[in-house]
Amino acid sequence: MTRPTRPHRFKRLDAFEVSGGEAKVQGEESIDVPTLAVLELLAQDSPPDRFHELLQRGQRQRLSPDRLADLQRATHLALDVQASVSQRRRRETFMTGLVDTVHDMAGPSSPDTLLKVVTSRARRLLGFDMAYVSLRDADDNAYIHSSDGDTTALNAGLVVRKQRGLSELVRTSGAPFWTTDYLNDDRIPHWDDVDEVVRAESLSAIMAVPILRGSDPIGVLYGANRVVRHFTPDEISVMRSLADFASVALEKAELLDRTRREIAELEALGAQSRTTVTRLQRLADAQSRLSSLVLDGSDLQQLASAAAQALDGGLVVSDAYGRILTSAGETAGVPDPVTDRVVLETHAVGGPVALAADLWATPVGAGGENLGIVLLRTPVELDADTQRFFRFVGQAVAMLLVIQRSTAVAAGPVRDEFFDELLAVPLRAPHRLVARAQRLQVHLEEAYVVVAIRPEGSDHGKAVVWASSYSHRHQGLKTVRDGRIVLLLPGSDASAAARAVHNELSPSLALSVTVGAAGPATGLASVARVHNEAQRCLDTLAILGEAGTAASMADLGFLGLLLSDDRDVDGFVASAIGPLLDHDTERGADLVGTVEAYFASGHSPTRAAETLYIHANTVARRLDRITELLGPGWQKGQRAVEMQLALRLVRARDVLRQQRETTALGNRPDTQSEG
């Protein structure tokens, strides 16, 4: 059974028809025409004013109340549909913007970059004139971190104190807050600095949304317009989503930064570990090298040089009395001499001790005996491993000194016997002595000096032990004759050798020591002669009342000339008045004659001028020149005596030379025939 269909009702509308979305008056009315016109406007997504225009035209055509009501309802429904579609489109736009924001934040970026993305996206997505983010600082104040759309430089970096501004309202409530007119809103705790920025930027409507981490607000996301604006729930919801994204992005960025820092720390720790291993390996190799140097019989200088190179600093080795035995590397700034207090303090610590910011010391000892210390100058602070190596350096030096002393004691009798044979007069079997010298590595073909020592006390045994070690360290020889210690040492400066022996031995014995020296000489045959001169020098010091001092034959002046076997007259004259003789020879002057007249006149320049038949001012100028050549003090004391003796020797030598020349001339055949 079929249901009967209801016939359609059409009424003619004389004044209305639809054409191109516009209604026109034409004949009878039809109920479907206005509705179609509304649908056509809706299909064309026409603006709302076109719908209102259609309704107004229908009212002007005097439609029946039913049709006019239908037209009004159709128009309202169309506007509702259009609003719904517009809202849906906005939401789609918001969702697309949020997805793009998440995409922009997905990559590894810094917090600064991520917050700039959030502010820029909020401004473009919600149509703000300005968007910015504030964060909390260490004092719990808010400061503007990132800003987009600002026209002045007042906003960036602005610090807002607690209990001021929108940030305080959002922080305490944990919920969004917005206002259509910021400056005139009494709900907000205003602050002059913030109000000044709002005025400068001409802001009116502002929305503030908290950036939460858990339930704790860590910042605020702001959106602002320069006109009055009422914010919709959708806009507030989008801002909350952006704030949540900012929170997650900040947490991710902080986690990424923390991970990067941890990775960097691990890499640094790994590099430091590798550096430590390399340094330990280098120190271990250096320690093995030092041990090899000690066992191979190297000298103290070689050991100090190797240690200084390993420690990359300047090294100084001193004995128990502070005297420097050797040094290596850059030692500027190392104490010289080393004080007894430093030596005692270092041994009291028993290991490396920092004397200053760049100066370290370690003890040198064996079996409780204080052998000295090692000083290290380095610009870097020593770590524990380097301190342990530095302590080993002190132990290596101690081992070397003990080995040298033991070697000297063991080889002492053989070398002493050889030295005694060299002092015999006449020499027995010189060729055999030459062979023994080669076996003992004594190079008598080179210059050497002889040093005679007499301790002024009863501690003679300790002085002999010291002399054995000293001669061994300097590749020399030692013997004891008639209660005196005799050393044969390589070198050409007898005075320097005497002072060095005196300066080292006297503090060791804590007694005065008299030291006489002679030389230099070369060859086996000269040893006995130089030894006799050193003995005479030692005796002369005692006769002169100079016990406890050190001198050589050259230091004794004319006494040395008289006591010396070779009587080096030329050397004595040169040391006394050599500069004057050279000056007179080069300039044709008579400084020697002026000095003679000056001494002969009793040190009177006036009487000397009369003797020389020259003006007194000339004598004064010559005396000034003599002082420049010889130095001050030549007119007094022993120097004056030596100069007068040298002048007499020169005059005597000139007279003897003239006599020899006259005698030779008289013996010529032609001269004799003429006679």
Side-chain angles (χ1 to χ4, degrees):
M1 181 176 178
T2 60
R3 177 179 298 179
T5 59
R6 186 177 181 180
H8 294 283
R9 297 175 60 194
F10 292 93
K11 293 183 179 180
R12 296 190 60 181
L13 184 62
D14 296 334
F16 233 95
E17 74 174 9
V18 177
S19 176
E22 295 184 359
K24 297 182 179 179
V25 178
Q26 189 183 51
E28 288 186 0
E29 294 182 349
S30 173
I31 190 172
D32 295 327
V33 173
T35 305
L36 289 174
V38 172
L39 290 176
E40 187 171 354
L41 290 177
L42 183 62
Q44 293 177 355
D45 197 17
S46 300
D49 56 347
R50 297 290 300 276
F51 290 93
H52 293 300
E53 181 181 350
L54 179 62
L55 181 59
Q56 291 173 1
R57 287 184 179 182
Q59 292 172 348
R60 287 197 300 269
Q61 295 301 323
R62 300 177 181 178
L63 296 177
S64 65
D66 291 340
R67 291 185 181 276
L68 183 59
D70 289 343
L71 180 60
Q72 289 176 343
R73 180 171 176 76
T75 302
H76 293 158
L77 289 174
L79 291 175
D80 290 342
V81 170
Q82 193 176 53
S84 178
V85 171
S86 177
Q87 185 178 23
R88 187 178 297 110
R89 288 176 179 173
R90 282 196 72 186
R91 288 180 178 176
E92 290 177 355
T93 303
F94 289 157
M95 292 302 298
T96 303
L98 293 176
V99 171
D100 292 340
T101 303
V102 173
H103 182 270
D104 291 342
M105 293 181 174
S109 303
S110 65
D112 295 345
T113 302
L114 292 176
L115 291 178
K116 288 180 180 178
V117 170
V118 170
T119 55
S120 176
R121 188 71 65 182
R123 179 168 174 257
R124 287 186 295 156
L125 192 59
L126 295 173
F128 292 125
D129 294 326
M130 181 174 169
Y132 50 99
V133 170
S134 69
L135 299 177
R136 313 300 296 184
D137 61 13
D139 298 327
D140 203 27
N141 294 322
Y143 69 96
I144 305 302
H145 182 279
S146 300
S147 182
D148 189 74
D150 44 0
T151 59
T152 68
L154 299 177
N155 194 43
L158 176 67
V159 177
V160 183
R161 295 179 183 175
K162 290 186 293 186
Q163 301 179 354
R164 293 291 186 273
L166 283 176
S167 61
E168 181 64 20
L169 292 176
V170 173
R171 187 180 71 86
T172 55
S173 65
F177 184 91
W178 62 93
T179 178
T180 58
D181 190 358
Y182 178 90
L183 293 176
N184 297 316
D185 196 331
D186 296 335
R187 299 174 298 166
I188 303 172
H190 289 272
W191 191 41
D192 292 341
D193 292 350
V194 176
D195 291 353
E196 181 183 354
V197 175
V198 172
R199 292 190 187 94
E201 295 287 350
S202 301
L203 299 180
S204 179
I206 301 178
M207 182 199 307
V209 178
I211 301 175
L212 301 175
R213 180 169 295 171
S215 59
D216 298 328
I218 61 174
V220 179
L221 174 62
Y222 301 87
N225 288 93
R226 296 185 171 90
V227 295
V228 174
R229 175 177 175 178
H230 296 276
F231 301 104
T232 67
D234 287 341
E235 293 171 338
I236 297 173
S237 178
V238 171
M239 280 289 282
R240 296 204 67 163
S241 298
L242 289 172
D244 292 340
F245 290 164
S247 176
V248 174
L250 284 174
E251 186 173 3
K252 186 199 76 169
E254 291 173 359
L255 178 60
L256 183 60
D257 284 348
R258 185 165 61 250
T259 303
R260 287 173 175 170
R261 287 195 302 269
E262 291 175 354
I263 293 175
E265 291 174 359
L266 289 175
E267 291 177 348
L269 182 60
Q272 183 179 1
S273 300
R274 290 191 295 271
T275 302
T276 301
V277 171
T278 303
R279 187 180 71 255
L280 290 177
Q281 183 62 46
R282 183 173 62 85
L283 293 178
D285 294 341
Q287 186 169 334
S288 299
R289 173 169 170 73
L290 294 184
S291 300
S292 299
L293 290 174
V294 172
L295 296 176
D296 292 343
S298 301
D299 58 23
L300 190 58
Q301 176 61 42
Q302 291 174 314
L303 184 67
S305 297
Q309 183 178 5
L311 291 168
D312 194 21
L315 208 68
V316 172
V317 180
S318 70
D319 62 11
Y321 304 97
R323 293 184 303 271
I324 294 178
L325 301 179
T326 189
S327 62
E330 181 58 47
T331 59
V334 177
D336 182 18
V338 181
T339 62
D340 294 339
R341 181 183 62 81
V342 171
V343 177
L344 294 176
E345 287 182 358
T346 304
H347 278 271
V349 174
V353 57
L355 303 177
D358 60 347
L359 185 63
W360 289 76
T362 192
V364 177
E369 181 182 1
N370 179 2
L371 299 178
I373 62 172
V374 180
L375 295 175
L376 172 66
R377 182 181 180 274
T378 175
V380 298
E381 186 175 356
L382 302 187
D383 56 21
D385 297 323
T386 310
Q387 289 185 37
R388 281 192 292 271
F389 176 76
F390 185 41
R391 183 175 184 178
F392 175 78
V393 171
Q395 296 171 348
V397 172
M399 287 188 290
L400 181 61
L401 293 178
V402 171
I403 291 174
Q404 287 181 345
R405 186 167 60 185
S406 301
T407 303
V409 172
V414 177
R415 299 176 70 86
D416 291 353
E417 180 183 356
F418 174 67
F419 194 11
D420 287 332
E421 293 184 17
L422 291 177
L423 296 178
V425 180
L427 286 176
R428 296 187 294 273
H431 62 282
R432 182 174 58 84
L433 293 177
V434 171
R436 290 187 63 187
Q438 292 177 349
R439 289 196 300 271
L440 295 175
Q441 295 183 347
V442 178
H443 307 289
L444 294 177
E445 69 278 4
E446 299 177 1
Y448 60 83
V449 297
V450 175
V451 179
I453 308 167
R454 183 175 63 227
E456 304 297 336
S458 59
D459 201 357
H460 192 268
K462 187 175 180 180
V464 173
V465 173
W466 174 90
S468 298
S469 176
Y470 188 86
S471 62
H472 178 79
R473 281 190 280 126
H474 291 80
Q475 291 81 45
L477 299 175
K478 180 268 308 178
T479 189
V480 179
R481 297 173 69 89
D482 300 328
R484 301 176 180 184
I485 302 170
V486 183
L487 301 177
L488 186 146
L489 302 173
S492 58
D493 191 340
S495 299
R499 290 192 299 270
V501 169
H502 181 271
N503 293 338
E504 184 169 334
L505 180 55
S506 293
S508 300
L509 299 179
L511 295 171
S512 62
V513 176
T514 306
V515 182
T522 57
L524 295 175
S526 301
V527 175
R529 175 182 60 80
V530 178
H531 167 255
N532 290 333
E533 291 186 3
Q535 295 284 12
R536 285 198 292 270
C537 180
L538 185 65
D539 293 336
T540 302
L541 290 175
I543 294 172
L544 295 175
E546 298 294 334
T549 61
S552 67
M553 277 296 190
D555 296 327
L556 296 179
F558 70 92
L559 289 177
L561 177 66
L562 297 176
L563 297 172
S564 176
D565 289 336
D566 57 6
R567 292 179 173 79
D568 184 9
V569 176
D570 291 337
F572 173 75
V573 170
S575 65
I577 60 172
L580 303 184
L581 296 173
D582 295 339
H583 182 275
D584 287 352
T585 302
E586 295 174 0
R587 305 290 182 85
D590 191 18
L591 297 184
V592 173
T594 303
V595 171
E596 286 182 309
Y598 176 74
F599 283 131
S601 63
H603 299 75
S604 173
T606 302
R607 290 198 294 271
E610 294 175 355
T611 301
L612 296 172
Y613 299 103
I614 58 178
H615 197 277
N617 291 339
T618 304
V619 173
R621 286 195 298 272
R622 290 183 180 180
L623 294 177
D624 291 339
R625 181 58 177 159
I626 292 170
T627 301
E628 293 177 3
L629 294 173
L630 300 181
W634 60 269
Q635 309 97 323
K636 302 177 183 178
Q638 183 177 347
R639 289 192 62 187
V641 174
E642 292 179 356
M643 286 184 63
Q644 294 180 63
L645 177 60
L647 292 170
R648 290 180 181 274
L649 289 174
V650 170
R651 292 307 179 194
R653 188 168 53 186
D654 290 343
V655 171
L656 293 175
R657 183 183 299 110
Q658 291 176 2
Q659 290 178 353
R660 286 195 300 271
E661 293 175 353
T662 302
T663 301
L665 183 62
N667 291 333
R668 289 173 53 185
D670 54 349
T671 305
Q672 291 178 352
S673 62
E674 290 178 1

